[in-house]
Amino acid sequence: MPSYKAPLREYRFLLRDVLEIERYANLPTFADAPMDLVDQVLEEGAKFCEGVLAPLNAVGDAHGCKRNEDGSVETPPGFKDAYKQYVEGGWPALSADPNYGGQGLPHIIGLAWNEMVASANMAFGMYPGLSHGAYEAIHLHGTDEQKQTYLPKLVTGEWTGTMNLTEPHCGTDLGLLRTKAVPQADGSYKITGQKIFISAGEHDMADNIIHLVLARIEGAPGGTKGISLFIVPKFIVKEDGALGERNGVVCGKLEEKMGIHGNSTCVLNYDDAVGYLIGAENKGLSAMFTMMNVARLGVGLQGLSQSEVAYQNGVIYAKDRVQGRSLTGPKNADGPADPIIVHPDVRRMLMDAKSFNEGARAFAFWTALHGDLLNVSPDEKVREKAEDYMALMTPVIKSYLTEKGYLTATDCQQIFGGHGYIEEHGMSQFVRDARITMIYEGANGIQALDLVGRKLGANGGRALFSFFAEIDDFIHENENDAELKDFVEALQKSKGELQEGAMWLMQNGMSNFDNAGAASHDFLNLFGIAALTYMWALQAKAALAGKKANGADAYFDTKLATGRYFIARVTPEAGAHLAKLKSGADPVMALPAEAF
Amino acid sequence: MPSYKAPLREYRFLLRDVLEIERYANLPTFADAPMDLVDQVLEEGAKFCEGVLAPLNAVGDAHGCKRNEDGSVETPPGFKDAYKQYVEGGWPALSADPNYGGQGLPHIIGLAWNEMVASANMAFGMYPGLSHGAYEAIHLHGTDEQKQTYLPKLVTGEWTGTMNLTEPHCGTDLGLLRTKAVPQADGSYKITGQKIFISAGEHDMADNIIHLVLARIEGAPGGTKGISLFIVPKFIVKEDGALGERNGVVCGKLEEKMGIHGNSTCVLNYDDAVGYLIGAENKGLSAMFTMMNVARLGVGLQGLSQSEVAYQNGVIYAKDRVQGRSLTGPKNADGPADPIIVHPDVRRMLMDAKSFNEGARAFAFWTALHGDLLNVSPDEKVREKAEDYMALMTPVIKSYLTEKGYLTATDCQQIFGGHGYIEEHGMSQFVRDARITMIYEGANGIQALDLVGRKLGANGGRALFSFFAEIDDFIHENENDAELKDFVEALQKSKGELQEGAMWLMQNGMSNFDNAGAASHDFLNLFGIAALTYMWALQAKAALAGKKANGADAYFDTKLATGRYFIARVTPEAGAHLAKLKSGADPVMALPAEAF
């Protein structure tokens, strides 16, 4: 049975020593989150995730959800009760708006909480995760009345939410969508159509489910310009806030999936369901996409979360399982064999995972901090940079963290040998659950295209130049620090490779868009490597300072060694990505379609 | 529902044009396999795999095997009948020894057949696959009587076989094994112990199952030097060949696995089971390992097989699914959107898979040809080189083909977006089935250690030098061929990187064995890339010749473009592996175990 320990020390190190969030104590939300409160909140959260959610992870995988003939859906044993505790603990409110009952903590604290939940039980975490998406959409685009009607209950968690985009014939290309909305005399709409792959689409844990649904108003233009966003509650909410009639939306089927069995992935059939327009007519896509940055950061974090929990269990097994002897002589001479953690190739897999997890977490947190600054900073320049960074980094976090997370989870499964392949040890589940993160909320290929096609060139490349300038400043400030030398050099090299990739794109991507498309995956990886190399430089600097302040704490040496592994063994991957990128579209597009 | 088409044209191209097996028509086995007969056999085999085995693949995954209370095991619906057809078709006999009823075709033909079976239905293919392992062991190490007793029925397929190595506390480190064998007055032994992860360990498809079991004879030395190999039939075979008593071996449990659900993975409990020593006392491990080269080649091929079938279905989906528009303008202007095969990032994934599949298949076939020459060549030099190559290439094929096969299968699943994550389309199964190939028959990390620790230095590095010399000859012969220029240059670079890695290992691996261990994974990948680059050079040369002979056949242009993709987009990965390798053991081993 796999276990999970929340990486509280990592959170503290990142928040206090690396990102120094106490600097922002004068800003809203941060003002209410002094470090000792943050520690306390995360410790409480850790207890809940470790004690309540983690033990249900395998249960959810084995049992899955069950659809009854009437379309109602039962969640796996224990989920309903755990969700009740989740609500009672006030967790959905953590970083929500105090105007609607939220606790108003910075989003970066919510991010740490989300990672813990996803590591403990990703399928469970998706229920409140999707609610948060619905909350964001209504909070940003809803009328005051809509906010008053839906937000308080979403914030308490009494109601959950969903996002309805995909239809059988369209996922990525939402311009094709067919679900229709017919205006009614009372200002509402009747929604009809079929949505698929709706996570948390129907379940037995909450009193109501607030569906956010993309649909086309009768007579609206075709393509993406005629799509509107609607609120479609499972139970219609009466004026006094009480629940009224059951709406015309029913779960027609639960999908059989590779993983996340504990989450109900529904086909939802809308049949003259009552819906309320949210945001402007025909502007549904842009309303939906404003939620996407947050959702995509969350998915990147899910990739990391599976890598983290797989790593933790890989470590336990590698210390426990004895098999063979160390290549440099027995390390457990009294035992029948050495624990397999003595073997360099097992170490390689663990260090790959550990150095990825800690670098990736730093990257997600650093980006989320910019998200908070975008919301609360009084300084326009800070907000501009924060907005630039959120836009630029989001596709990188979504793709790089999920792809690498899947691979490191696979590596940690590998450490178990045959025992990793049987379901008993839980490693298969981490890999199977991680697999979806590369697909949903915009498949990774779409993220890469978003990066090179939209984000890179926005405002004349301002976001990227700003990132380069920040790295240059770091290099300049630290180039004479002998202890940071390895990190500064690796960063310089990695930044140079990213720059070369960007330059190649500028010179070749405009003349032939296929060059941009063919380069996008490798450019995104170049970016991910450079970003994590920078994160390791930041962490190394903080660790060196920590070591000076408290030399007896082995944590800082571990941190430095982990970073050195990353720059020795991961940063060099950038060279291969750059070489591939520069080979251009020709090798990729040479074959006519019929030659496949 | 996924489909499968056997790549018959690829087999023909490899066997006839690249490997030119007709050269060997004067040698045994090849003499009986003229190209037109080979074509015919493979065509027949393709029909069976496509029509009978492939449709049962998803059935096997969904139903799995069922263990009854008495320990008997039912295979998935349709498997028993398919196996009957398999036996009636004479397929188990394909490359078996004519002295025992085999058809005596070269093993390389058997390899093509095995790939087709594994692509169509890997879980099914493991039943006869394991039989072949048992056949090999008895054929190589059995007494005449043992051969007469067991081989004919294994060759017809009326009986199947298994290999029993792993115990709960030991897999890789067989020196720890505890299953004991007690000598009996009649020369037989009583075998007692528990074996786990026994593929095809119990089922309802054959009259008898011949288990090959590693056990320790009472009083034998501890460790690997006291292990013997035994034949333990499920039903004891009487002197007249009839089946006698049920032996004391029972399936205690079926494992719940991530994939290959159609194969029965058993815990086998031996309780005073009658066993017969095969080979010399205490030499069981080396007897087992002589079978391993063949088995490991087969597993490498399984990795390729899942990549191949995933690729085929990825292509079908990419041509069929319309979503978005080409970056360079609509390609399907009359339709609502373009087929996704127009998108460069989809192409990238398809080309990665296609160029891997065709390079990997060439590598496996080229190696298998050496395996055949080892058996039948009258020339001692040829046999020596063949033996060297078999030893050297086996771990590379096992690991490189399975790891890349898993990744390309994952990529092809990615092409399906959310539809790839639900079980309906079958892509999840290909990934889940492929996952085991990285683990069983010696986990990939063990293969890498075998390569650097044992194979590389054997006979003063003779095998590697011989491979380098062969590549140098090719380069020398073709360096002035303008049409081959790209391939020759890529090969030169790739060989240089492999050589540099080998040199580094020689200089650093002996002084600190951890350097060898830490480098092993990356060295194996360097090797795999160099080998496939060489295979692409060989294929390009044959394709250019083919094109000259028959310019109208687009096959050859496709082949060349696929090869050019490989050298532009895959060969450059070697640089990253070399850089990682040369960073040595220090970053990998820096942390004390308790720091994890």
Side-chain angles (χ1 to χ4, degrees), chain A residues 168 171 173 256 258-259 321 323-324 347 406 410 413-414 421 423 432 435 438 569 573 580 591, chain B residues 168 171 173 256 258-259 321 323-324 347 406 410 413-414 421 423 432 435 438 569 573 580 591:
Chain A
D173 188 355
E256 299 279 343
M258 187 177 182
R321 174 80 169 177
Q323 206 77 179
R347 287 288 180 115
Y406 174 70
T410 298
Q413 179 190 26
Q414 186 74 13
Y421 197 66
E423 296 293 350
R432 290 184 289 99
R435 183 67 187 87
M438 294 153 75
R569 290 254 170 180
E573 290 173 6
K580 291 183 187 200
L591 291 182
Chain B
D173 187 356
E256 300 279 343
M258 185 176 183
R321 174 80 169 178
Q323 206 78 178
R347 287 288 181 116
Y406 174 70
T410 298
Q413 179 190 25
Q414 185 74 12
Y421 197 67
E423 295 293 350
R432 291 184 288 98
R435 183 67 188 89
M438 293 153 76
R569 289 253 170 182
E573 291 173 5
K580 291 182 185 199
L591 291 182

Side-chain angles (χ1 to χ4, degrees), chain A residues 166-174 176 196-197 253 255-261 311 315 319 321-328 336-337 341-345 347-348 350-352 354 406-407 409-411 413-414 417-424 428 431-436 438-439 443-446 448-449 512-522 557-559 561-562 564-565 568-570 572-573 575-576 579-581 583-585 587-596, chain B residues 166-174 176 196-197 253 255-261 311 315 319 321-328 336-337 341-345 347-348 350-352 354 406-407 409-411 413-414 417-424 428 431-436 438-439 443-446 448-449 512-522 557-559 561-562 564-565 568-570 572-573 575-576 579-585 587-596:
Chain A
T166 306
E167 299 180 5
H169 62 289
C170 74
T172 297
D173 188 355
L174 290 168
L176 302 175
I196 65 170
F197 302 157
K253 185 189 167 191
E255 302 288 0
E256 299 279 343
K257 308 181 298 288
M258 187 177 182
I260 49 168
H261 296 154
Y311 163 77
V315 167
K319 287 179 178 177
R321 174 80 169 177
V322 301
Q323 206 77 179
R325 289 293 182 188
S326 163
L327 297 169
T328 55
I341 200 168
V342 304
H343 302 307
D345 197 60
R347 287 288 180 115
R348 174 185 65 80
L350 290 176
M351 290 301 293
D352 269 349
K354 181 174 171 63
Y406 174 70
L407 295 178
T410 298
D411 270 350
Q413 179 190 26
Q414 186 74 13
H419 297 275
Y421 197 66
I422 59 175
E423 296 293 350
E424 198 176 318
S428 160
V431 173
R432 290 184 289 99
D433 285 1
R435 183 67 187 87
I436 189 60
M438 294 153 75
I439 297 172
N444 283 3
I446 299 300
L449 210 57
N512 176 2
F513 291 149
D514 275 348
N515 273 329
S520 58
H521 169 83
D522 289 296
D557 283 325
T558 299
K559 183 59 78 177
T562 308
R564 291 215 171 85
Y565 180 91
R569 290 254 170 180
V570 182
E573 290 173 6
K580 291 183 187 200
L581 177 157
S583 74
V588 179
M589 303 302 285
L591 291 182
E594 59 275 15
F596 284 88
Chain B
T166 306
E167 299 179 6
H169 63 289
C170 75
T172 297
D173 187 356
L174 290 168
L176 303 175
I196 65 169
F197 302 157
K253 185 188 166 193
E255 302 288 0
E256 300 279 343
K257 308 181 299 287
M258 185 176 183
I260 50 167
H261 296 155
Y311 163 77
V315 167
K319 288 180 178 177
R321 174 80 169 178
V322 301
Q323 206 78 178
R325 289 294 183 188
S326 163
L327 298 169
T328 55
I341 200 166
V342 305
H343 301 308
D345 197 61
R347 287 288 181 116
R348 173 186 65 80
L350 290 176
M351 290 300 292
D352 269 349
K354 181 174 170 63
Y406 174 70
L407 296 177
T410 298
D411 270 351
Q413 179 190 25
Q414 185 74 12
H419 297 275
Y421 197 67
I422 59 174
E423 295 293 350
E424 198 177 317
S428 161
V431 173
R432 291 184 288 98
D433 286 0
R435 183 67 188 89
I436 189 59
M438 293 153 76
I439 297 172
N444 283 2
I446 298 299
L449 210 57
N512 176 1
F513 291 149
D514 275 348
N515 273 330
S520 58
H521 170 84
D522 289 296
D557 283 324
T558 300
K559 183 59 76 176
T562 308
R564 290 213 173 86
Y565 180 91
R569 289 253 170 182
V570 182
E573 291 173 5
K580 291 182 185 199
L581 176 156
K582 289 169 75 175
S583 73
V588 179
M589 303 303 287
L591 291 182
E594 59 274 17
F596 283 89

Side-chain angles (χ1 to χ4, degrees), chain A residues 161 208 323 360 405 427 466 504 582:
Chain A
N208 203 1
Q323 206 77 179
M427 301 306 286
S466 163
W504 187 93
K582 289 169 75 174

Side-chain angles (χ1 to χ4, degrees), chain B residues 289-307:
Chain B
F289 276 108
T290 53
M291 306 154 48
M292 280 283 182
N293 277 349
V294 175
R296 287 174 173 177
L297 256 176
V299 174
L301 209 72
Q302 287 177 335
L304 161 62
S305 76
Q306 296 312 290
S307 175

Side-chain angles (χ1 to χ4, degrees), chain A residues 284-567:
Chain A
L285 263 196
S286 69
M288 199 55 124
F289 276 108
T290 52
M291 306 155 47
M292 279 283 180
N293 277 349
V294 175
R296 287 174 173 178
L297 257 177
V299 174
L301 210 72
Q302 288 177 336
L304 161 62
S305 77
Q306 297 311 291
S307 175
E308 171 66 31
V309 67
Y311 163 77
Q312 291 188 11
N313 286 280
V315 167
I316 293 167
Y317 192 80
K319 287 179 178 177
D320 183 59
R321 174 80 169 177
V322 301
Q323 206 77 179
R325 289 293 182 188
S326 163
L327 297 169
T328 55
K331 300 291 178 283
N332 175 36
D334 296 341
D338 289 341
I340 60 173
I341 200 168
V342 304
H343 302 307
D345 197 60
V346 171
R347 287 288 180 115
R348 174 185 65 80
M349 294 189 275
L350 290 176
M351 290 301 293
D352 269 349
K354 181 174 171 63
S355 66
F356 163 72
N357 293 345
E358 296 177 17
R361 186 179 292 114
F363 186 31
F365 278 52
W366 175 86
T367 304
L369 175 60
H370 287 102
D372 276 315
L373 293 177
L374 173 60
N375 289 334
V376 300
S377 176
D379 183 334
E380 201 186 320
K381 273 280 150 205
V382 169
R383 288 203 311 274
E384 180 185 283
K385 180 174 158 178
E387 189 163 19
D388 284 352
Y389 273 18
M390 279 296 279
L392 184 66
M393 306 301 168
T394 296
V396 183
I397 289 179
K398 197 287 179 178
S399 280
Y400 189 75
L401 269 57
T402 58
E403 186 172 323
K404 297 297 160 192
Y406 174 70
L407 295 178
T408 51
T410 298
D411 270 350
C412 293
Q413 179 190 26
Q414 186 74 13
I415 292 171
F416 283 67
H419 297 275
Y421 197 66
I422 59 175
E423 296 293 350
E424 198 176 318
H425 291 271
M427 301 306 286
S428 160
Q429 186 187 355
F430 300 139
V431 173
R432 290 184 289 99
D433 285 1
R435 183 67 187 87
I436 189 60
T437 65
M438 294 153 75
I439 297 172
Y440 63 16
E441 292 295 341
N444 283 3
I446 299 300
Q447 304 295 331
L449 210 57
D450 178 46
L451 176 67
V452 302
R454 207 176 304 162
K455 302 301 178 60
L456 212 53
N459 305 306
R462 190 176 67 198
L464 184 68
F465 291 130
S466 163
F467 184 51
F468 284 154
E470 179 173 335
I471 291 179
D472 287 339
D473 285 349
F474 181 90
I475 292 171
H476 185 67
E477 279 163 30
N478 297 286
E479 60 195 345
N480 297 321
D481 184 336
E483 289 179 306
L484 269 180
K485 189 166 173 285
D486 295 356
F487 289 96
V488 169
E489 281 174 7
L491 181 57
Q492 190 132 34
K493 183 162 191 300
S494 192
K495 182 222 154 193
E497 286 164 328
L498 177 60
Q499 206 160 16
E500 196 179 334
M503 193 76 78
W504 187 93
L505 272 172
M506 280 180 227
Q507 287 163 351
N508 300 279
M510 298 302 177
S511 54
N512 176 2
F513 291 149
D514 275 348
N515 273 329
S520 58
H521 169 83
D522 289 296
F523 183 76
L524 188 142
N525 276 278
L526 264 182
F527 205 126
I529 293 166
L532 263 62
T533 303
Y534 180 42
M535 292 302 129
W536 270 114
L538 294 177
Q539 290 186 86
K541 192 179 165 76
L544 285 167
K547 201 178 156 178
K548 273 190 197 96
N550 181 5
D553 190 342
Y555 176 84
F556 300 113
D557 283 325
T558 299
K559 183 59 78 177
L560 288 162
T562 308
R564 291 215 171 85
Y565 180 91
F566 190 89
I567 60 176

Side-chain angles (χ1 to χ4, degrees), chain B residues 37-267:
Chain B
L37 175 73
V38 169
D39 279 345
Q40 222 178 349
V41 166
L42 295 180
E43 272 166 37
E44 275 307 306
K47 271 186 221 158
F48 182 74
C49 293
E50 295 166 5
V52 178
L53 298 185
L56 291 175
N57 194 38
V59 177
D61 188 55
H63 285 263
C65 295
K66 189 169 156 278
R67 179 184 172 278
N68 299 313
E69 268 185 40
D70 62 359
S72 65
V73 170
E74 292 168 35
T75 51
F79 271 45
K80 198 172 166 174
D81 181 57
Y83 187 75
K84 193 160 164 271
Q85 293 181 54
Y86 191 95
V87 168
E88 285 167 1
W91 294 110
L94 205 60
S95 55
D97 185 345
N99 290 320
Y100 303 99
Q103 294 173 36
L105 291 183
H107 290 292
I108 195 170
I109 311 304
L111 199 78
W113 164 245
N114 286 340
E115 186 203 328
M116 294 193 280
V117 171
S119 280
N121 195 325
M122 185 170 134
F124 178 93
M126 290 169 66
Y127 294 97
L130 270 296
S131 299
H132 194 74
Y135 162 88
E136 290 273 341
I138 298 173
H139 194 256
L140 275 165
H141 302 287
T143 62
D144 277 346
E145 196 194 327
Q146 288 171 336
K147 290 185 198 179
Q148 290 302 342
T149 305
Y150 300 105
L151 292 184
K153 297 287 192 181
L154 286 169
V155 167
T156 60
E158 288 166 89
W159 299 351
T160 66
T162 73
M163 291 164 66
N164 290 239
L165 291 75
T166 306
E167 299 179 6
H169 63 289
C170 75
T172 297
D173 187 356
L174 290 168
L176 303 175
L177 78 77
R178 292 180 194 147
T179 297
K180 69 171 183 194
V182 181
Q184 304 298 303
D186 66 354
S188 72
Y189 292 78
K190 287 278 174 82
I191 312 285
T192 300
Q194 189 178 62
K195 296 288 181 177
I196 65 169
F197 302 157
I198 307 307
S199 300
E202 177 60 42
H203 59 81
D204 54 4
M205 306 197 305
D207 298 335
N208 203 2
I209 301 176
I210 311 305
H211 303 291
L212 287 178
V213 184
L214 288 181
R216 202 182 294 279
I217 296 173
E218 262 194 338
T224 54
K225 292 192 181 105
I227 298 175
S228 303
L229 183 61
F230 298 87
I231 299 174
V232 184
K234 175 178 167 185
F235 289 99
I236 290 169
V237 182
K238 292 197 274 199
E239 284 200 11
D240 63 357
L243 295 186
E245 256 180 87
R246 182 72 166 81
N247 208 347
V249 47
V250 172
C251 169
K253 185 188 166 193
L254 288 178
E255 302 288 0
E256 300 279 343
K257 308 181 299 287
M258 185 176 183
I260 50 167
H261 296 155
N263 199 274
S264 56
T265 306
C266 299
V267 173

